Amino acid sequence: MKPLAHSTAALLLACALGPALAQAPAPADGHDSHHPAAAPAAQGATDNPSADQSELSEGEITRWDPRTLKVTLRHGEIKNLEMPPMTMVFRVADAGVLGELKPGDKVRFQAEKRPPGTYHVTHIEKAP
């Protein structure tokens, strides 16, 4: 198949399947299945260490893997995400976000939901 014909075939397939995929229901086994009314991420949530203290949630680090940039937190309610207390995995932008924090540390943090449905810690600090 010539390169142009291959591209045209791919475009036709995408056009044909696009509406069907857009209407497909979300998988029921995802994180949102136990709190489907989750709100969009809070306005202004950033990697800024001067995050508003009233927006911080409390938790404890149970696992931290700097290789995959994933941290597991046992957390209380996360109000901006309308999320009840649970233990779950969050992503971080880089290992520096956690600094010297380690499993067992009590923390206060800010999180947001980012496409395609992943949860990211945007600010974290050791709890007083």
mmCIF file with all atom_site columns, all heavy atoms in Angstrom, residues 74-85:
data_model
loop_
_atom_site.group_PDB
_atom_site.id
_atom_site.type_symbol
_atom_site.label_atom_id
_atom_site.label_alt_id
_atom_site.label_comp_id
_atom_site.label_asym_id
_atom_site.label_entity_id
_atom_site.label_seq_id
_atom_site.pdbx_PDB_ins_code
_atom_site.Cartn_x
_atom_site.Cartn_y
_atom_site.Cartn_z
_atom_site.occupancy
_atom_site.B_iso_or_equiv
_atom_site.pdbx_formal_charge
_atom_site.auth_seq_id
_atom_site.auth_comp_id
_atom_site.auth_asym_id
_atom_site.auth_atom_id
_atom_site.pdbx_PDB_model_num
ATOM 1  N N   . ARG A 1 74 ? -2.727  6.925  51.776 1.00 0.00 ? 74 ARG A N   1
ATOM 2  C CA  . ARG A 1 74 ? -3.945  6.638  52.538 1.00 0.00 ? 74 ARG A CA  1
ATOM 3  C C   . ARG A 1 74 ? -4.433  8.020  52.951 1.00 0.00 ? 74 ARG A C   1
ATOM 4  O O   . ARG A 1 74 ? -3.782  8.697  53.747 1.00 0.00 ? 74 ARG A O   1
ATOM 5  C CB  . ARG A 1 74 ? -3.641  5.781  53.755 1.00 0.00 ? 74 ARG A CB  1
ATOM 6  C CG  . ARG A 1 74 ? -4.881  5.445  54.571 1.00 0.00 ? 74 ARG A CG  1
ATOM 7  C CD  . ARG A 1 74 ? -4.575  4.587  55.811 1.00 0.00 ? 74 ARG A CD  1
ATOM 8  N NE  . ARG A 1 74 ? -3.742  3.445  55.493 1.00 0.00 ? 74 ARG A NE  1
ATOM 9  C CZ  . ARG A 1 74 ? -2.563  3.194  56.068 1.00 0.00 ? 74 ARG A CZ  1
ATOM 10 N NH1 . ARG A 1 74 ? -2.077  3.993  56.989 1.00 0.00 ? 74 ARG A NH1 1
ATOM 11 N NH2 . ARG A 1 74 ? -1.851  2.141  55.723 1.00 0.00 ? 74 ARG A NH2 1
ATOM 12 N N   . HIS A 1 75 ? -5.552  8.447  52.393 1.00 0.00 ? 75 HIS A N   1
ATOM 13 C CA  . HIS A 1 75 ? -5.952  9.845  52.579 1.00 0.00 ? 75 HIS A CA  1
ATOM 14 C C   . HIS A 1 75 ? -7.361  9.987  53.129 1.00 0.00 ? 75 HIS A C   1
ATOM 15 O O   . HIS A 1 75 ? -8.191  9.092  53.021 1.00 0.00 ? 75 HIS A O   1
ATOM 16 C CB  . HIS A 1 75 ? -5.824  10.608 51.257 1.00 0.00 ? 75 HIS A CB  1
ATOM 17 C CG  . HIS A 1 75 ? -6.730  10.127 50.163 1.00 0.00 ? 75 HIS A CG  1
ATOM 18 N ND1 . HIS A 1 75 ? -8.067  10.455 50.107 1.00 0.00 ? 75 HIS A ND1 1
ATOM 19 C CD2 . HIS A 1 75 ? -6.475  9.350  49.087 1.00 0.00 ? 75 HIS A CD2 1
ATOM 20 C CE1 . HIS A 1 75 ? -8.599  9.901  49.026 1.00 0.00 ? 75 HIS A CE1 1
ATOM 21 N NE2 . HIS A 1 75 ? -7.660  9.212  48.393 1.00 0.00 ? 75 HIS A NE2 1
ATOM 22 N N   . GLY A 1 76 ? -7.590  11.167 53.706 1.00 0.00 ? 76 GLY A N   1
ATOM 23 C CA  . GLY A 1 76 ? -8.929  11.553 54.129 1.00 0.00 ? 76 GLY A CA  1
ATOM 24 C C   . GLY A 1 76 ? -9.679  12.085 52.923 1.00 0.00 ? 76 GLY A C   1
ATOM 25 O O   . GLY A 1 76 ? -9.246  11.922 51.778 1.00 0.00 ? 76 GLY A O   1
ATOM 26 N N   . GLU A 1 77 ? -10.787 12.737 53.164 1.00 0.00 ? 77 GLU A N   1
ATOM 27 C CA  . GLU A 1 77 ? -11.593 13.289 52.092 1.00 0.00 ? 77 GLU A CA  1
ATOM 28 C C   . GLU A 1 77 ? -10.770 14.295 51.273 1.00 0.00 ? 77 GLU A C   1
ATOM 29 O O   . GLU A 1 77 ? -10.021 15.090 51.818 1.00 0.00 ? 77 GLU A O   1
ATOM 30 C CB  . GLU A 1 77 ? -12.815 13.997 52.665 1.00 0.00 ? 77 GLU A CB  1
ATOM 31 C CG  . GLU A 1 77 ? -13.695 14.628 51.612 1.00 0.00 ? 77 GLU A CG  1
ATOM 32 C CD  . GLU A 1 77 ? -14.871 15.401 52.199 1.00 0.00 ? 77 GLU A CD  1
ATOM 33 O OE1 . GLU A 1 77 ? -14.877 15.669 53.421 1.00 0.00 ? 77 GLU A OE1 1
ATOM 34 O OE2 . GLU A 1 77 ? -15.758 15.745 51.419 1.00 0.00 ? 77 GLU A OE2 1
ATOM 35 N N   . ILE A 1 78 ? -10.923 14.242 49.959 1.00 0.00 ? 78 ILE A N   1
ATOM 36 C CA  . ILE A 1 78 ? -10.323 15.233 49.069 1.00 0.00 ? 78 ILE A CA  1
ATOM 37 C C   . ILE A 1 78 ? -11.491 16.042 48.526 1.00 0.00 ? 78 ILE A C   1
ATOM 38 O O   . ILE A 1 78 ? -12.178 15.616 47.598 1.00 0.00 ? 78 ILE A O   1
ATOM 39 C CB  . ILE A 1 78 ? -9.502  14.591 47.936 1.00 0.00 ? 78 ILE A CB  1
ATOM 40 C CG1 . ILE A 1 78 ? -8.404  13.696 48.518 1.00 0.00 ? 78 ILE A CG1 1
ATOM 41 C CG2 . ILE A 1 78 ? -8.898  15.675 47.041 1.00 0.00 ? 78 ILE A CG2 1
ATOM 42 C CD1 . ILE A 1 78 ? -7.582  12.962 47.480 1.00 0.00 ? 78 ILE A CD1 1
ATOM 43 N N   . LYS A 1 79 ? -11.732 17.202 49.144 1.00 0.00 ? 79 LYS A N   1
ATOM 44 C CA  . LYS A 1 79 ? -12.928 17.993 48.846 1.00 0.00 ? 79 LYS A CA  1
ATOM 45 C C   . LYS A 1 79 ? -12.994 18.463 47.405 1.00 0.00 ? 79 LYS A C   1
ATOM 46 O O   . LYS A 1 79 ? -14.046 18.392 46.783 1.00 0.00 ? 79 LYS A O   1
ATOM 47 C CB  . LYS A 1 79 ? -13.034 19.175 49.808 1.00 0.00 ? 79 LYS A CB  1
ATOM 48 C CG  . LYS A 1 79 ? -13.320 18.732 51.228 1.00 0.00 ? 79 LYS A CG  1
ATOM 49 C CD  . LYS A 1 79 ? -13.452 19.891 52.175 1.00 0.00 ? 79 LYS A CD  1
ATOM 50 C CE  . LYS A 1 79 ? -13.695 19.366 53.581 1.00 0.00 ? 79 LYS A CE  1
ATOM 51 N NZ  . LYS A 1 79 ? -13.853 20.426 54.544 1.00 0.00 ? 79 LYS A NZ  1
ATOM 52 N N   . ASN A 1 80 ? -11.884 18.954 46.846 1.00 0.00 ? 80 ASN A N   1
ATOM 53 C CA  . ASN A 1 80 ? -11.945 19.482 45.476 1.00 0.00 ? 80 ASN A CA  1
ATOM 54 C C   . ASN A 1 80 ? -12.242 18.401 44.444 1.00 0.00 ? 80 ASN A C   1
ATOM 55 O O   . ASN A 1 80 ? -12.675 18.708 43.341 1.00 0.00 ? 80 ASN A O   1
ATOM 56 C CB  . ASN A 1 80 ? -10.670 20.251 45.116 1.00 0.00 ? 80 ASN A CB  1
ATOM 57 C CG  . ASN A 1 80 ? -9.447  19.362 45.024 1.00 0.00 ? 80 ASN A CG  1
ATOM 58 O OD1 . ASN A 1 80 ? -9.102  18.651 45.957 1.00 0.00 ? 80 ASN A OD1 1
ATOM 59 N ND2 . ASN A 1 80 ? -8.771  19.401 43.896 1.00 0.00 ? 80 ASN A ND2 1
ATOM 60 N N   . LEU A 1 81 ? -12.040 17.144 44.788 1.00 0.00 ? 81 LEU A N   1
ATOM 61 C CA  . LEU A 1 81 ? -12.350 16.040 43.880 1.00 0.00 ? 81 LEU A CA  1
ATOM 62 C C   . LEU A 1 81 ? -13.620 15.293 44.302 1.00 0.00 ? 81 LEU A C   1
ATOM 63 O O   . LEU A 1 81 ? -13.989 14.316 43.661 1.00 0.00 ? 81 LEU A O   1
ATOM 64 C CB  . LEU A 1 81 ? -11.175 15.047 43.832 1.00 0.00 ? 81 LEU A CB  1
ATOM 65 C CG  . LEU A 1 81 ? -9.865  15.602 43.280 1.00 0.00 ? 81 LEU A CG  1
ATOM 66 C CD1 . LEU A 1 81 ? -8.760  14.555 43.385 1.00 0.00 ? 81 LEU A CD1 1
ATOM 67 C CD2 . LEU A 1 81 ? -10.030 16.052 41.841 1.00 0.00 ? 81 LEU A CD2 1
ATOM 68 N N   . GLU A 1 82 ? -14.251 15.759 45.393 1.00 0.00 ? 82 GLU A N   1
ATOM 69 C CA  . GLU A 1 82 ? -15.419 15.085 45.959 1.00 0.00 ? 82 GLU A CA  1
ATOM 70 C C   . GLU A 1 82 ? -15.133 13.597 46.140 1.00 0.00 ? 82 GLU A C   1
ATOM 71 O O   . GLU A 1 82 ? -15.918 12.736 45.758 1.00 0.00 ? 82 GLU A O   1
ATOM 72 C CB  . GLU A 1 82 ? -16.652 15.310 45.084 1.00 0.00 ? 82 GLU A CB  1
ATOM 73 C CG  . GLU A 1 82 ? -17.077 16.762 45.027 1.00 0.00 ? 82 GLU A CG  1
ATOM 74 C CD  . GLU A 1 82 ? -18.334 16.984 44.206 1.00 0.00 ? 82 GLU A CD  1
ATOM 75 O OE1 . GLU A 1 82 ? -18.933 16.002 43.708 1.00 0.00 ? 82 GLU A OE1 1
ATOM 76 O OE2 . GLU A 1 82 ? -18.721 18.148 44.063 1.00 0.00 ? 82 GLU A OE2 1
ATOM 77 N N   . MET A 1 83 ? -13.972 13.306 46.752 1.00 0.00 ? 83 MET A N   1
ATOM 78 C CA  . MET A 1 83 ? -13.508 11.935 46.910 1.00 0.00 ? 83 MET A CA  1
ATOM 79 C C   . MET A 1 83 ? -13.508 11.549 48.386 1.00 0.00 ? 83 MET A C   1
ATOM 80 O O   . MET A 1 83 ? -12.973 12.289 49.213 1.00 0.00 ? 83 MET A O   1
ATOM 81 C CB  . MET A 1 83 ? -12.102 11.812 46.334 1.00 0.00 ? 83 MET A CB  1
ATOM 82 C CG  . MET A 1 83 ? -11.559 10.406 46.305 1.00 0.00 ? 83 MET A CG  1
ATOM 83 S SD  . MET A 1 83 ? -9.879  10.363 45.623 1.00 0.00 ? 83 MET A SD  1
ATOM 84 C CE  . MET A 1 83 ? -10.190 10.821 43.936 1.00 0.00 ? 83 MET A CE  1
ATOM 85 N N   . PRO A 1 84 ? -14.107 10.414 48.723 1.00 0.00 ? 84 PRO A N   1
ATOM 86 C CA  . PRO A 1 84 ? -14.115 9.974  50.114 1.00 0.00 ? 84 PRO A CA  1
ATOM 87 C C   . PRO A 1 84 ? -12.738 9.443  50.530 1.00 0.00 ? 84 PRO A C   1
ATOM 88 O O   . PRO A 1 84 ? -11.879 9.201  49.675 1.00 0.00 ? 84 PRO A O   1
ATOM 89 C CB  . PRO A 1 84 ? -15.149 8.842  50.108 1.00 0.00 ? 84 PRO A CB  1
ATOM 90 C CG  . PRO A 1 84 ? -15.067 8.279  48.727 1.00 0.00 ? 84 PRO A CG  1
ATOM 91 C CD  . PRO A 1 84 ? -14.793 9.475  47.837 1.00 0.00 ? 84 PRO A CD  1
ATOM 92 N N   . PRO A 1 85 ? -12.538 9.225  51.823 1.00 0.00 ? 85 PRO A N   1
ATOM 93 C CA  . PRO A 1 85 ? -11.274 8.655  52.298 1.00 0.00 ? 85 PRO A CA  1
ATOM 94 C C   . PRO A 1 85 ? -11.035 7.272  51.692 1.00 0.00 ? 85 PRO A C   1
ATOM 95 O O   . PRO A 1 85 ? -11.967 6.485  51.536 1.00 0.00 ? 85 PRO A O   1
ATOM 96 C CB  . PRO A 1 85 ? -11.470 8.544  53.810 1.00 0.00 ? 85 PRO A CB  1
ATOM 97 C CG  . PRO A 1 85 ? -12.542 9.526  54.132 1.00 0.00 ? 85 PRO A CG  1
ATOM 98 C CD  . PRO A 1 85 ? -13.444 9.551  52.937 1.00 0.00 ? 85 PRO A CD  1
#
